Amino acid sequence: MGKDVIIALDFSSKDKVMEFLDKFQDKKPFVKIGMELFYAEGPSIVKEIKARGHKIFLDLKLHDIPNTVSKAMAVLSSLDVDMTNLHASGAGKMMEGAIKGLTRADGTRPILIAVTQLTSTDQETMERDLLIKEPIDKVVMHYALTAKNSGLDGVVCSPLESQKVHEVCGEKFLTVTPGVRFADGDVGDQKRVMTPAEAKKIGSDYIVVGRPITSAEDPVKAYERCVREFIG
Ligand code: C5P
């Protein structure tokens, strides 16, 4: 499983996505489809982008009872996505159900990663709203380890957590990290950011990059710069 740059296709409609992807011509970047685009356009958007030759991370963050998640994952797997995710707070049995549902008849399946605590949740919110009193770093690492023990391939995490996740869960356990910005770029609403080169140094396996590429004057150039800095 190689390192790669995943472009977050945070667009509201198919027309806007296709206009963006057309700029890449024969290049076929790994892309992330999130809830907004999926709920607006439905499964056909996944099939169409896949048919153009892109790898797809379908970011729908499933969280329900094990049986429901298992069946939903079977449907996502049939869309032939390359990576998908769920909330680790759904617990071990839900994650095991997800793996079962994702696994195709031939034994293959998309990469499955877990969201631990959302980066929008801080210590205070966790204690007040979720009644979890442990330090947030410990909670994140515990969720990552539970994900690993349930058969998952990795977690979505801040680049700042990549190293610790690898220490706790092993080097092969994948870290997929958003919050990436060029050294000379706009930070926007991201709080804790790293450059692609820094993310490489601390061992991120995949970086998810949205606006630094999608809002760039020349998105193809920005993508190529990202790949150069992250993969070399
Ligand atoms: O535009 P930007 O590079 O900030 O986009 C990052 C992408 O990663 C967005 O799709 C965002 O929803 C996603 N993401 C994130 N932080 C997380 C989890 C996902 O920025 N903790």
Side-chain angles (χ1 to χ4, degrees):
M1 243 169 300
K3 286 182 179 266
D4 214 343
V5 174
I6 303 176
I7 305 178
L9 296 179
D10 293 327
F11 296 101
S12 54
S13 72
K14 178 178 150 183
D15 289 352
K16 287 179 184 159
V17 171
M18 295 311 177
E19 191 190 323
F20 174 77
L21 292 177
D22 282 346
K23 297 184 205 288
F24 288 82
Q25 296 180 352
D26 53 335
K27 275 192 199 68
K28 302 293 173 188
F30 201 142
V31 296
K32 176 169 92 74
I33 296 176
M35 289 188 219
E36 183 187 12
L37 188 59
F38 188 78
Y39 292 148
E41 300 289 348
S44 65
I45 189 77
V46 175
K47 290 182 193 157
E48 278 186 52
I49 294 175
K50 188 77 199 175
R52 285 170 153 245
H54 296 270
K55 284 189 176 175
I56 296 177
F57 168 19
L58 189 55
D59 178 17
L60 299 181
K61 302 186 179 69
L62 274 65
H63 187 176
D64 208 315
I65 59 170
N67 185 54
T68 303
V69 167
S70 184
K71 290 186 168 165
M73 285 293 188
V75 176
L76 301 187
S77 191
S78 73
L79 292 176
D80 200 22
V81 298
D82 299 277
M83 183 186 287
T84 191
N85 61 359
L86 46 67
H87 275 283
S89 54
K93 284 274 180 289
M94 186 201 79
M95 291 194 266
E96 287 167 19
I99 293 278
K100 199 167 152 222
L102 273 185
T103 307
R104 305 179 183 109
D106 64 1
T108 63
R109 65 166 173 80
I111 294 170
L112 182 61
I113 57 174
V115 174
T116 56
Q117 281 292 346
L118 291 168
T119 45
S120 50
T121 305
D122 59 11
Q123 185 74 35
E124 190 194 338
T125 311
M126 206 178 65
E127 291 188 15
R128 188 191 57 229
D129 294 356
L130 309 177
L131 218 61
I132 298 172
K133 306 285 184 194
E134 299 283 354
I136 194 158
D137 298 4
K138 191 174 165 193
V139 174
V140 166
M141 293 310 149
H142 183 69
Y143 282 22
L145 201 52
T146 307
K148 186 191 177 202
N149 293 337
S150 305
L152 270 72
D153 306 296
V155 287
V156 186
C157 64
S158 142
L160 299 158
E161 292 163 348
S162 275
Q163 220 158 1
K164 188 79 193 285
V165 168
H166 282 138
E167 278 166 33
V168 172
C169 299
E171 284 304 318
K172 288 197 179 131
F173 195 65
L174 303 173
T175 56
V176 179
T177 62
V180 174
R181 291 294 178 266
F182 291 121
D184 52 2
D186 237 3
V187 171
D189 56 358
Q190 294 283 12
K191 298 258 184 288
R192 298 175 302 156
V193 299
M194 266 194 189
T195 65
E198 286 166 339
K200 174 186 182 180
K201 205 160 16 158
I202 52 94
S204 288
D205 296 288
Y206 293 88
I207 51 174
V208 176
V209 188
R211 286 159 294 180
I213 295 173
T214 56
S215 304
E217 214 166 288
D218 186 339
V220 178
K221 233 164 131 183
Y223 170 72
E224 284 170 347
R225 177 179 173 190
C226 222
V227 169
R228 223 172 26 247
E229 287 190 18
F230 183 60
I231 303 170

